[in-house]
Amino acid sequence: MLILIIACGDELQGCRQKWAIASGMQSNGLPPTTTLSGTEGFWSYTAAALYQRLNTSAAGLDGAEAKRRLAALHQQERVRKPWQRNLLLLLSQYRNPLVLLLVLAVVLSVSLGEYSNSVIILTVLVLTGVLGFVQERNAGRAMEQLQLLVKTRSTVQRSGKKEEVLIEEVAPGDIVLVNAGDIIPADAFIVSSNDLHVNESVLTGESFPSEKFAGVCAFDTPLNSVTNAVFKGTSVVNGSATLLAVHTGRQSELGQLSGMLQQQGPVNAFEKGIRQFGFLLMRLTVIITLAVLVLNILLHKPMVDSLLFALALAVGLAPELLPAIVTITLSAGARRMAAKKVIVKKLSAIQSLGEMDVLCCDKTGTLTKGEMHLSSVTDVDGNHSEKVLLYAYLNALFETGFTNPLDAAILRYPQPDVAGCSKQDEVPYDFIRKRLSIVANIRGRGAIMITKGAVDNVLGCCTQVELPDGRTVAMQQVKPQLDQLFGGYCAQGLRTIGVCYKDVGDDPVINKDDEVDMVFLGFLTFTDPLKEGIESSLGQLTASGIRVKLITGDHRLVARQTATHIGMNTASILTGDVIDRMDTTGLQRQVNEVDVFAEIVPVQKERIIRALQRNGHAVGFLGDGINDAAALKAADAGISIDNAVDVARDAASLVLLEKDFDVIRAGVMEGRKTFSNTLKYIFVTTSANFGNMFSMAIASLVLPFLPLLPIQILLNNFLSDLPALAIASDRVDDELLQRPRRWDIQYIRRFMVVFGLQSSLFDLLTFGLLLYVFHATPEGFRTGWFVESLLTQLLILQVIRTQRPFFKSRPSAYLGLASVIILLVALMLPYLPFAGIFSLRPLPLLWMACILALSLLYILMAEVSKRYLMRKL
């Protein structure tokens, strides 16, 4: 009832059996002339037939037709219009079942002739809902504008011209152009392709890329065996293609699976904590209100009044603005983070960033400048070799996979003579083989298969070595020499790869199984200077309570040299081959002690993150490559950059506009501020608010009249919530930003007990003052207590918002102004002409002075209690 929390959905694996036999073409909600008829899969048609059936051409749709088709799809898929979303958001403000019960009780009282109070109660309820709606809507609009900056786009061809559109704006019949790293925006037919390999693990669970090419498949081909079509949500690992979009949105295979699963992202620690807090208050609210209702009825008090009082009490206990406060606070944090070059894709990720105490990152572009330079090209004796350069250059020139800094550095090197050379075939790089092969026709030498990649992986597919004089010898003869040379390069911190080749004769078509019996040729070494000031940036993160761990695919010696230069702990380095031999428990023991992980493959990144999480850490992961998507999803705070490949940016919950540790630290500070401001509202709710309502419940049982009328409870609740809306802009003390803070429901319970009972104590003193000293009438008692209750809730906010003495920490301008205004309203309301509407009457000045004195005494006592409690936070 209280919280904007979504339970974690099931994994897609439970529905992958659906991805077996093609069930035919689905309607896209378009006119009959633009959809396929029959039950055949679109992969069983030729391109010409699909052009005709989708009423499109190789030039693509025109802009107007694309918009018309999207509108038809939205109508069929029942995409909500803005006014419908606004209406649902407004209604959601009243989804609290206690509020609905109160409305029902008001209707009941109207039927019994109680008109005036019922109208006032409904008015206050409506105003409370509208207030939350306006704030949430504005926060939501701001977030939408920020997220547009990092939304994934696709390249389409419309009317023969290329243009960039959001993935959601790709229409059936669009011509789509994709390259390595792109996310496929629709179920689509391959019109043409160039060495296209696609990762379909999102649908099949198979991590090894599938090769795709133009052609026609049988209509009953299982989808995981279709080679001439690609499917929405999969990603391009290698190559490029021109596609014809057929199914988009919910009509795609992924859309149908997602619809069946209604899958949501995992719930983070903060969301779980808010849910626990909501359940805690719900249990207390139900117990207290039912007890009050039953006992008041047993004491023969009016039935309708007792019911309205109990329900109003329940609404007063429940922090009905908590969803709005959380959304407003997070949105304000997101806007501040955007100003510091961090774009938030998922609001709850702000809290995760604030909780983060471990940050895992790669080396290139994070610790280093990301500016690879080819340092040397050597044969097996360590001397410069033009042949090694030619073969490495051809490999880099002809590969069509994702852009990587090593190939870019090779292509920037003085170009060898490649005239007359042409490409025949390619086996793309993957993170298991760690190598890339191409077949090139080289003038005078025929078809040569050239492979380059991680040195150990390249040496593993070689049986011979070419010496500088052109002779070849068996690998075992020179292997020690090669290892020594390679080790020397790594010890200097040089990124090193190997190059090998073999003659493929008249069979230039290759696959990964052909990477055997090759001839090792030589080495390429690269330099990538450390970023200026990186040691200082790491030191600031460490001082902020965040431990940085380096996870790299580089050789252990290169990783050690880099880590040593920036002051990281290199006493122990964990390598990928060792991790492979570890079980989950063993890895969990090691990850806490080790800060450098080398020779790591993508699946191991996720294992490392999971192990850290099982050890109780909130883990951030910074990645921008195709191989980082799984780790980004697994991390509590998945962080990518705006120029990352689509799959990485899509998997991340936060996107940096600049890949820099200082930007991350600024985002962490904003996350901690947001976390602190959210807790302030919760602390206020569990102190004066809870204490006052608890006292009122007790008073209703011993007094011959209701201590407050339902309308007075709701007005009190409404006025006290107004300053809380300004909490999102409040300042946070520097000492609260020095270390990560985690959700602690046990601490909140202790806080509730101490401050709630303390608040109730002063309420009882107010009761005694009004009843036994001033001999107040029921109207005077209610007015006096209304004022005291509102004053204590306003003043306790000033105390709880800081760990310092409240007079040494200045609130934000908005919070200070809102508090002062409501404080004046509380003091003046009984004397205003319309006070009678709320059954309030003017108080003698002596009464008001005593109430103020009690409120100030309460604040002083709260200061003492705060020092004890907040020392433990």
Side-chain angles (χ1 to χ4, degrees):
M1 83 171 200
L2 303 174
I3 319 299
L4 294 171
I5 295 296
I6 314 170
C8 181
D10 295 329
E11 295 295 330
L12 272 173
Q13 293 169 349
C15 279
R16 282 187 177 130
Q17 62 268 27
K18 177 187 178 297
W19 226 64
I21 302 296
S23 57
M25 192 70 177
Q26 304 294 322
S27 171
N28 279 300
L30 304 174
T33 57
T34 60
T35 59
L36 291 174
S37 60
T39 59
E40 295 88 358
F42 64 86
W43 48 87
S44 65
Y45 288 79
T46 63
L50 283 173
Y51 285 145
Q52 182 178 2
R53 289 176 177 271
L54 287 169
N55 195 18
T56 186
S57 69
L61 303 171
D62 62 49
E65 175 63 14
K67 289 180 180 178
R68 188 189 68 79
R69 295 189 181 194
L70 286 171
L73 277 173
H74 290 167
Q75 184 175 5
Q76 183 204 17
E77 295 178 357
R78 297 178 182 176
V79 176
R80 295 189 182 102
K81 297 179 180 178
W83 71 266
Q84 292 172 320
R85 292 197 296 270
N86 286 336
L87 178 60
L88 289 174
L89 179 60
L90 177 61
L91 294 176
S92 73
Q93 307 302 315
Y94 304 100
R95 67 179 177 272
N96 184 332
L98 297 178
V99 173
L100 297 178
L101 283 174
L102 184 57
V103 172
L104 183 62
V106 168
V107 172
L108 177 62
S109 67
V110 168
S111 68
L112 297 175
E114 298 285 340
Y115 298 109
S116 58
N117 280 345
S118 301
V119 171
I120 296 171
I121 291 172
L122 282 176
T123 301
V124 174
L125 283 174
V126 169
L127 286 175
T128 302
V130 169
L131 180 66
F133 160 73
V134 170
Q135 294 292 330
E136 276 200 71
R137 185 191 60 175
N138 291 341
R141 286 178 175 175
M143 278 304 302
E144 288 174 1
Q145 292 301 313
L146 289 176
Q147 291 176 352
L148 278 176
L149 297 175
V150 293
K151 275 204 168 186
T152 304
R153 297 177 178 271
S154 289
T155 302
V156 298
Q157 182 173 281
R158 290 180 177 167
S159 301
K161 297 180 180 179
K162 295 180 182 179
E163 60 180 272
E164 297 284 324
V165 300
L166 296 176
I167 275 186
E168 297 83 0
E169 295 174 354
V170 173
D174 261 328
I175 299 298
V176 183
L177 310 176
V178 295
N179 293 285
D182 289 348
I183 292 177
I184 303 296
D187 291 356
F189 180 85
I190 298 174
V191 178
S192 63
S193 66
N194 180 23
D195 295 314
L196 182 65
H197 290 76
V198 177
N199 184 332
E200 296 182 323
S201 60
V202 67
L203 290 171
T204 66
E206 172 57 55
S207 60
F208 198 84
S210 301
E211 187 174 6
K212 301 282 185 173
F213 40 81
V216 175
C217 291
F219 77 94
D220 58 351
T221 304
L223 296 188
N224 56 0
S225 299
V226 170
T227 57
N228 68 331
V230 291
F231 300 92
K232 179 179 173 64
T234 59
S235 57
V236 181
V237 174
N238 186 80
S240 59
T242 299
L243 310 175
L244 171 60
V246 180
H247 292 153
T248 63
R250 296 178 190 172
Q251 303 300 325
S252 67
E253 292 295 326
L254 184 65
Q256 293 178 48
L257 285 175
S258 299
M260 289 189 293
L261 291 172
Q262 296 183 344
Q263 186 179 7
Q264 301 290 343
V267 179
N268 65 18
F270 180 80
E271 291 169 320
K272 291 175 183 175
I274 288 286
R275 185 168 57 188
Q276 290 173 343
F277 174 67
F279 289 153
L280 172 64
L281 283 188
M282 173 62 82
R283 288 194 295 270
L284 290 172
T285 299
V286 170
I287 292 170
I288 292 173
T289 51
L290 284 178
V292 168
L293 177 61
V294 171
L295 291 174
N296 272 302
I297 292 174
L298 292 176
L299 292 172
H300 304 292
K301 295 183 179 180
M303 176 69 179
V304 173
D305 287 349
S306 297
L307 179 60
L308 284 172
F309 175 78
L311 291 172
L313 188 65
V315 173
L317 282 167
E320 72 286 345
L321 280 185
L322 182 58
I325 293 291
V326 170
T327 300
I328 294 164
T329 305
L330 292 176
S331 297
R335 289 193 293 272
R336 291 193 300 267
M337 290 173 72
K340 296 183 178 180
K341 302 181 180 180
V342 181
I343 303 300
V344 177
K345 292 179 60 185
K346 181 183 177 186
L347 277 179
S348 62
I350 298 176
Q351 305 291 0
S352 298
L353 195 62
E355 293 179 354
M356 181 177 71
D357 61 345
V358 173
L359 174 62
C360 300
C361 66
D362 60 357
K363 178 175 72 70
T364 303
T366 307
L367 303 177
T368 65
K369 293 181 178 180
E371 300 171 358
M372 284 287 182
H373 298 283
L374 181 56
S375 175
S376 67
V377 182
T378 68
D379 57 27
V380 295
D381 283 346
N383 301 314
H384 179 77
S385 169
E386 284 297 323
K387 184 173 183 180
V388 175
L389 175 60
L390 173 64
Y391 280 27
Y393 195 94
L394 290 172
N395 184 285
L397 179 66
F398 290 142
E399 72 96 6
T400 57
F402 55 90
T403 303
N404 68 84
L406 296 182
D407 283 341
I410 294 170
L411 296 177
R412 285 197 305 268
Y413 202 77
Q415 179 180 335
D417 182 10
V418 295
C421 300
S422 60
K423 177 182 176 180
Q424 295 293 306
D425 201 4
E426 177 178 357
V427 179
Y429 183 91
D430 67 65
F431 297 95
I432 298 173
R433 293 163 40 250
K434 291 188 177 181
R435 54 187 179 238
L436 162 71
S437 296
I438 63 104
V439 174
N441 266 327
I442 304 176
R443 57 191 183 284
R445 305 182 194 180
I448 303 295
M449 177 178 174
I450 304 170
T451 300
K452 75 175 191 311
V455 172
D456 288 339
N457 298 64
V458 169
L459 288 173
C461 64
C462 295
T463 55
Q464 293 181 300
V465 176
E466 182 174 308
L467 300 178
D469 60 8
R471 292 182 298 114
T472 58
V473 297
M475 172 64 72
Q476 57 266 29
Q477 288 184 238
V478 293
K479 184 65 163 57
Q481 175 187 335
L482 297 178
D483 290 341
Q484 183 178 6
L485 189 58
F486 176 45
Y489 291 144
C490 292
Q492 298 174 51
L494 297 172
R495 179 83 175 269
T496 307
I497 63 174
V499 180
C500 64
Y501 73 97
K502 75 173 180 181
D503 189 337
V504 293
D506 298 328
D507 186 14
V509 178
I510 59 171
N511 57 48
K512 63 180 185 294
D513 295 330
D514 292 313
E515 295 175 335
V516 293
D517 298 328
M518 302 191 74
V519 180
F520 186 79
L521 192 58
F523 301 96
L524 282 75
T525 67
F526 301 83
T527 59
D528 185 11
L530 290 172
K531 285 185 176 179
E532 295 178 4
I534 187 65
E535 298 93 335
S536 173
S537 297
L538 287 176
Q540 289 178 346
L541 278 177
T542 302
S544 301
I546 298 173
R547 188 171 178 180
V548 177
K549 293 183 181 289
L550 172 62
I551 303 179
T552 178
D554 286 354
H555 191 275
R556 69 200 75 179
L557 295 177
V558 176
R560 182 187 296 278
Q561 197 262 3
T562 301
T564 301
H565 276 195
I566 58 176
M568 293 184 70
N569 174 27
T570 58
S572 177
I573 294 179
L574 205 56
T575 57
D577 58 334
V578 175
I579 290 176
D580 274 340
R581 297 193 295 270
M582 284 184 171
D583 59 14
T584 300
T585 304
L587 180 59
Q588 195 172 331
R589 284 197 300 266
Q590 288 285 320
V591 290
N592 274 356
E593 305 303 323
V594 176
D595 285 346
V596 180
F597 302 83
E599 303 170 26
I600 300 298
V601 297
V603 68
Q604 292 171 336
K605 295 181 182 181
E606 184 179 0
R607 280 194 69 195
I608 293 167
I609 289 170
R610 299 287 188 195
L612 286 164
Q613 289 170 330
R614 282 191 291 270
N615 286 338
H617 293 290
V619 184
F621 179 78
L622 174 60
D624 58 4
I626 292 175
N627 61 319
D628 292 328
L632 285 165
K633 288 182 178 179
D636 297 287
I639 308 167
S640 191
I641 57 175
D642 65 332
N643 61 351
V645 296
D646 287 351
V647 286
R649 199 168 61 246
D650 189 64
S653 50
L654 300 132
V655 177
L656 307 181
L657 300 182
E658 184 178 324
K659 193 175 183 181
D660 190 277
F661 277 124
D662 291 336
V663 174
I664 295 175
R665 184 176 179 276
V668 167
M669 294 300 108
E670 289 300 333
R672 292 179 184 178
K673 287 178 184 178
T674 304
F675 183 88
S676 294
N677 283 337
T678 305
L679 283 183
K680 289 175 186 178
Y681 178 77
I682 290 172
F683 288 157
V684 170
T685 300
T686 55
S687 53
N689 191 357
F690 180 79
N692 288 342
M693 297 302 150
F694 185 71
S695 305
M696 202 182 311
I698 296 173
S700 71
L701 303 178
V702 299
L703 294 175
F705 54 86
L706 292 177
L708 280 184
L709 298 176
I711 181 57
Q712 293 169 339
I713 296 175
L714 295 176
L715 180 63
N716 184 298
N717 196 45
F718 175 72
L719 291 175
S720 64
D721 273 336
L722 287 174
L725 291 171
I727 286 176
S729 67
D730 194 24
R731 296 183 177 89
V732 177
D733 298 336
D734 290 340
E735 56 267 29
L736 293 177
L737 304 178
Q738 298 310 307
R739 58 188 176 88
R741 300 177 67 189
R742 304 295 295 272
W743 184 269
D744 186 351
I745 193 67
Q746 299 300 327
Y747 176 81
I748 292 174
R749 285 197 186 106
R750 290 197 304 273
F751 195 98
M752 178 185 292
V753 171
V754 172
F755 276 88
L757 292 179
Q758 184 174 273
S759 176
S760 294
L761 172 62
F762 278 84
D763 287 340
L764 294 175
L765 289 175
T766 305
F767 296 166
L769 178 70
L770 293 172
L771 283 176
Y772 302 113
V773 177
F774 297 138
H775 306 289
T777 62
E779 291 78 13
F781 179 91
R782 289 167 182 151
T783 303
W785 194 22
F786 176 88
V787 173
E788 184 268 350
S789 174
L790 188 52
L791 285 177
T792 54
Q793 289 183 75
L794 292 171
L795 293 174
I796 197 65
L797 173 57
Q798 306 306 315
V799 174
I800 290 173
R801 58 166 294 277
T802 175
Q803 287 190 353
R804 304 171 184 172
F806 72 91
F807 51 84
K808 291 186 177 180
S809 177
R810 187 161 55 94
S812 68
Y814 291 124
L815 179 58
L817 180 62
S819 299
V820 169
I821 291 173
I822 301 302
L823 184 67
L824 293 174
V825 168
L827 295 173
M828 296 170 57
L829 189 57
Y831 306 99
L832 297 176
F834 55 82
I837 296 175
F838 303 103
S839 299
L840 301 174
R841 73 172 184 81
L843 295 175
L845 292 181
L846 178 60
W847 290 28
M848 188 65 80
C850 290
I851 289 171
L852 278 171
L854 275 176
S855 299
L856 291 175
L857 184 60
Y858 168 60
I859 295 307
L860 293 176
M861 186 172 176
E863 269 291 336
V864 175
S865 302
K866 179 184 74 174
R867 291 186 185 183
Y868 166 75
L869 270 179
M870 288 200 169
R871 244 186 268 124
K872 298 180 177 294
L873 181 58

PDB file of all heavy atoms in Angstrom, residues 188 309 316 349 352 364 410 425 448 455 511 516 527 691 727 771 773 846 871:
ATOM      1  N   ALA A 188      13.753  -9.386 -37.549  1.00  0.00           N
ATOM      2  CA  ALA A 188      14.025  -8.829 -38.869  1.00  0.00           C
ATOM      3  C   ALA A 188      14.631  -9.856 -39.803  1.00  0.00           C
ATOM      4  O   ALA A 188      15.322 -10.789 -39.378  1.00  0.00           O
ATOM      5  CB  ALA A 188      14.957  -7.616 -38.752  1.00  0.00           C
ATOM      6  N   PHE A 309     -12.791   7.974  13.287  1.00  0.00           N
ATOM      7  CA  PHE A 309     -11.599   8.266  14.076  1.00  0.00           C
ATOM      8  C   PHE A 309     -10.526   7.195  13.863  1.00  0.00           C
ATOM      9  O   PHE A 309      -9.352   7.503  13.647  1.00  0.00           O
ATOM     10  CB  PHE A 309     -11.963   8.355  15.566  1.00  0.00           C
ATOM     11  CG  PHE A 309     -10.768   8.536  16.465  1.00  0.00           C
ATOM     12  CD1 PHE A 309     -10.163   9.776  16.597  1.00  0.00           C
ATOM     13  CD2 PHE A 309     -10.239   7.466  17.166  1.00  0.00           C
ATOM     14  CE1 PHE A 309      -9.057   9.953  17.421  1.00  0.00           C
ATOM     15  CE2 PHE A 309      -9.132   7.622  17.990  1.00  0.00           C
ATOM     16  CZ  PHE A 309      -8.538   8.866  18.115  1.00  0.00           C
ATOM     17  N   GLY A 316      -3.203   8.692   9.507  1.00  0.00           N
ATOM     18  CA  GLY A 316      -2.172   9.480  10.167  1.00  0.00           C
ATOM     19  C   GLY A 316      -0.923   8.679  10.462  1.00  0.00           C
ATOM     20  O   GLY A 316       0.192   9.179  10.395  1.00  0.00           O
ATOM     21  N   ALA A 349      18.856   3.065  -8.708  1.00  0.00           N
ATOM     22  CA  ALA A 349      20.301   2.896  -8.817  1.00  0.00           C
ATOM     23  C   ALA A 349      21.047   4.004  -8.082  1.00  0.00           C
ATOM     24  O   ALA A 349      22.214   3.840  -7.713  1.00  0.00           O
ATOM     25  CB  ALA A 349      20.717   2.886 -10.288  1.00  0.00           C
ATOM     26  N   SER A 352      21.729   2.627  -4.821  1.00  0.00           N
ATOM     27  CA  SER A 352      22.780   1.606  -4.934  1.00  0.00           C
ATOM     28  C   SER A 352      24.154   2.241  -5.044  1.00  0.00           C
ATOM     29  O   SER A 352      25.133   1.751  -4.466  1.00  0.00           O
ATOM     30  CB  SER A 352      22.521   0.715  -6.156  1.00  0.00           C
ATOM     31  OG  SER A 352      21.295   0.035  -6.034  1.00  0.00           O
ATOM     32  N   THR A 364      41.830  -0.345 -19.230  1.00  0.00           N
ATOM     33  CA  THR A 364      41.930   0.538 -20.386  1.00  0.00           C
ATOM     34  C   THR A 364      40.850   1.610 -20.347  1.00  0.00           C
ATOM     35  O   THR A 364      39.662   1.314 -20.290  1.00  0.00           O
ATOM     36  CB  THR A 364      41.810  -0.275 -21.689  1.00  0.00           C
ATOM     37  OG1 THR A 364      42.815  -1.280 -21.693  1.00  0.00           O
ATOM     38  CG2 THR A 364      41.969   0.633 -22.893  1.00  0.00           C
ATOM     39  N   ILE A 410      47.006  -0.191 -34.449  1.00  0.00           N
ATOM     40  CA  ILE A 410      47.729  -0.820 -35.569  1.00  0.00           C
ATOM     41  C   ILE A 410      47.499  -0.021 -36.854  1.00  0.00           C
ATOM     42  O   ILE A 410      48.427   0.236 -37.628  1.00  0.00           O
ATOM     43  CB  ILE A 410      47.286  -2.282 -35.745  1.00  0.00           C
ATOM     44  CG1 ILE A 410      47.711  -3.124 -34.532  1.00  0.00           C
ATOM     45  CG2 ILE A 410      47.867  -2.870 -37.029  1.00  0.00           C
ATOM     46  CD1 ILE A 410      47.121  -4.517 -34.510  1.00  0.00           C
ATOM     47  N   ASP A 425      37.688 -14.383 -45.870  1.00  0.00           N
ATOM     48  CA  ASP A 425      36.780 -14.879 -44.829  1.00  0.00           C
ATOM     49  C   ASP A 425      37.279 -14.393 -43.468  1.00  0.00           C
ATOM     50  O   ASP A 425      38.373 -13.814 -43.355  1.00  0.00           O
ATOM     51  CB  ASP A 425      36.702 -16.412 -44.854  1.00  0.00           C
ATOM     52  CG  ASP A 425      35.430 -16.942 -44.179  1.00  0.00           C
ATOM     53  OD1 ASP A 425      34.591 -16.107 -43.771  1.00  0.00           O
ATOM     54  OD2 ASP A 425      35.291 -18.167 -44.037  1.00  0.00           O
ATOM     55  N   ILE A 448      46.133 -16.742 -47.224  1.00  0.00           N
ATOM     56  CA  ILE A 448      46.818 -16.928 -45.947  1.00  0.00           C
ATOM     57  C   ILE A 448      45.831 -16.642 -44.807  1.00  0.00           C
ATOM     58  O   ILE A 448      45.163 -15.604 -44.788  1.00  0.00           O
ATOM     59  CB  ILE A 448      48.036 -15.995 -45.809  1.00  0.00           C
ATOM     60  CG1 ILE A 448      49.012 -16.202 -46.970  1.00  0.00           C
ATOM     61  CG2 ILE A 448      48.725 -16.200 -44.468  1.00  0.00           C
ATOM     62  CD1 ILE A 448      49.657 -17.561 -46.995  1.00  0.00           C
ATOM     63  N   VAL A 455      48.584 -13.750 -26.330  1.00  0.00           N
ATOM     64  CA  VAL A 455      49.775 -14.526 -26.685  1.00  0.00           C
ATOM     65  C   VAL A 455      49.614 -16.001 -26.356  1.00  0.00           C
ATOM     66  O   VAL A 455      49.886 -16.872 -27.190  1.00  0.00           O
ATOM     67  CB  VAL A 455      51.026 -13.943 -25.982  1.00  0.00           C
ATOM     68  CG1 VAL A 455      52.228 -14.861 -26.191  1.00  0.00           C
ATOM     69  CG2 VAL A 455      51.338 -12.553 -26.506  1.00  0.00           C
ATOM     70  N   ASN A 511      36.601 -21.713 -40.216  1.00  0.00           N
ATOM     71  CA  ASN A 511      35.871 -21.553 -38.961  1.00  0.00           C
ATOM     72  C   ASN A 511      36.874 -21.708 -37.825  1.00  0.00           C
ATOM     73  O   ASN A 511      38.066 -21.921 -38.059  1.00  0.00           O
ATOM     74  CB  ASN A 511      34.717 -22.558 -38.842  1.00  0.00           C
ATOM     75  CG  ASN A 511      35.181 -24.002 -38.949  1.00  0.00           C
ATOM     76  OD1 ASN A 511      36.144 -24.404 -38.289  1.00  0.00           O
ATOM     77  ND2 ASN A 511      34.514 -24.789 -39.804  1.00  0.00           N
ATOM     78  N   VAL A 516      44.413 -24.335 -36.007  1.00  0.00           N
ATOM     79  CA  VAL A 516      45.321 -25.378 -35.519  1.00  0.00           C
ATOM     80  C   VAL A 516      46.520 -25.458 -36.474  1.00  0.00           C
ATOM     81  O   VAL A 516      46.448 -24.986 -37.621  1.00  0.00           O
ATOM     82  CB  VAL A 516      44.622 -26.756 -35.448  1.00  0.00           C
ATOM     83  CG1 VAL A 516      43.534 -26.748 -34.376  1.00  0.00           C
ATOM     84  CG2 VAL A 516      44.037 -27.148 -36.813  1.00  0.00           C
ATOM     85  N   THR A 527      51.434   0.547 -25.727  1.00  0.00           N
ATOM     86  CA  THR A 527      51.481   1.351 -24.503  1.00  0.00           C
ATOM     87  C   THR A 527      50.166   2.108 -24.354  1.00  0.00           C
ATOM     88  O   THR A 527      49.529   2.478 -25.347  1.00  0.00           O
ATOM     89  CB  THR A 527      52.633   2.366 -24.534  1.00  0.00           C
ATOM     90  OG1 THR A 527      52.478   3.235 -25.668  1.00  0.00           O
ATOM     91  CG2 THR A 527      53.978   1.656 -24.609  1.00  0.00           C
ATOM     92  N   GLY A 691       4.561   8.760  17.255  1.00  0.00           N
ATOM     93  CA  GLY A 691       4.316   8.966  18.683  1.00  0.00           C
ATOM     94  C   GLY A 691       3.010   9.682  18.952  1.00  0.00           C
ATOM     95  O   GLY A 691       2.253   9.304  19.865  1.00  0.00           O
ATOM     96  N   ILE A 727      12.260  18.069   1.588  1.00  0.00           N
ATOM     97  CA  ILE A 727      13.435  17.325   2.067  1.00  0.00           C
ATOM     98  C   ILE A 727      14.378  16.981   0.917  1.00  0.00           C
ATOM     99  O   ILE A 727      15.595  16.928   1.088  1.00  0.00           O
ATOM    100  CB  ILE A 727      12.991  16.045   2.807  1.00  0.00           C
ATOM    101  CG1 ILE A 727      12.426  16.417   4.189  1.00  0.00           C
ATOM    102  CG2 ILE A 727      14.146  15.071   2.976  1.00  0.00           C
ATOM    103  CD1 ILE A 727      11.877  15.241   4.970  1.00  0.00           C
ATOM    104  N   LEU A 771      -5.962  19.099  30.637  1.00  0.00           N
ATOM    105  CA  LEU A 771      -7.102  18.572  31.396  1.00  0.00           C
ATOM    106  C   LEU A 771      -7.096  19.004  32.860  1.00  0.00           C
ATOM    107  O   LEU A 771      -8.132  19.444  33.388  1.00  0.00           O
ATOM    108  CB  LEU A 771      -7.116  17.041  31.312  1.00  0.00           C
ATOM    109  CG  LEU A 771      -7.617  16.410  30.014  1.00  0.00           C
ATOM    110  CD1 LEU A 771      -7.479  14.910  30.064  1.00  0.00           C
ATOM    111  CD2 LEU A 771      -9.074  16.784  29.754  1.00  0.00           C
ATOM    112  N   VAL A 773      -4.735  21.148  34.536  1.00  0.00           N
ATOM    113  CA  VAL A 773      -4.283  22.488  34.907  1.00  0.00           C
ATOM    114  C   VAL A 773      -5.220  23.552  34.335  1.00  0.00           C
ATOM    115  O   VAL A 773      -5.694  24.440  35.050  1.00  0.00           O
ATOM    116  CB  VAL A 773      -2.835  22.730  34.436  1.00  0.00           C
ATOM    117  CG1 VAL A 773      -2.388  24.172  34.762  1.00  0.00           C
ATOM    118  CG2 VAL A 773      -1.895  21.739  35.090  1.00  0.00           C
ATOM    119  N   LEU A 846      -1.741  32.176  27.529  1.00  0.00           N
ATOM    120  CA  LEU A 846      -1.014  31.359  28.496  1.00  0.00           C
ATOM    121  C   LEU A 846      -0.949  29.907  28.036  1.00  0.00           C
ATOM    122  O   LEU A 846       0.092  29.251  28.170  1.00  0.00           O
ATOM    123  CB  LEU A 846      -1.680  31.452  29.876  1.00  0.00           C
ATOM    124  CG  LEU A 846      -1.037  30.602  30.980  1.00  0.00           C
ATOM    125  CD1 LEU A 846       0.417  31.018  31.205  1.00  0.00           C
ATOM    126  CD2 LEU A 846      -1.847  30.687  32.268  1.00  0.00           C
ATOM    127  N   ARG A 871      24.942   8.081  16.843  1.00  0.00           N
ATOM    128  CA  ARG A 871      26.309   7.607  16.954  1.00  0.00           C
ATOM    129  C   ARG A 871      26.424   6.181  16.435  1.00  0.00           C
ATOM    130  O   ARG A 871      27.475   5.717  16.036  1.00  0.00           O
ATOM    131  CB  ARG A 871      26.768   7.656  18.409  1.00  0.00           C
ATOM    132  CG  ARG A 871      27.929   8.630  18.622  1.00  0.00           C
ATOM    133  CD  ARG A 871      28.462   8.562  20.024  1.00  0.00           C
ATOM    134  NE  ARG A 871      27.810   9.531  20.882  1.00  0.00           N
ATOM    135  CZ  ARG A 871      27.188   9.219  22.010  1.00  0.00           C
ATOM    136  NH1 ARG A 871      27.114   7.984  22.421  1.00  0.00           N
ATOM    137  NH2 ARG A 871      26.634  10.156  22.738  1.00  0.00           N
TER     138      ARG A 871
END
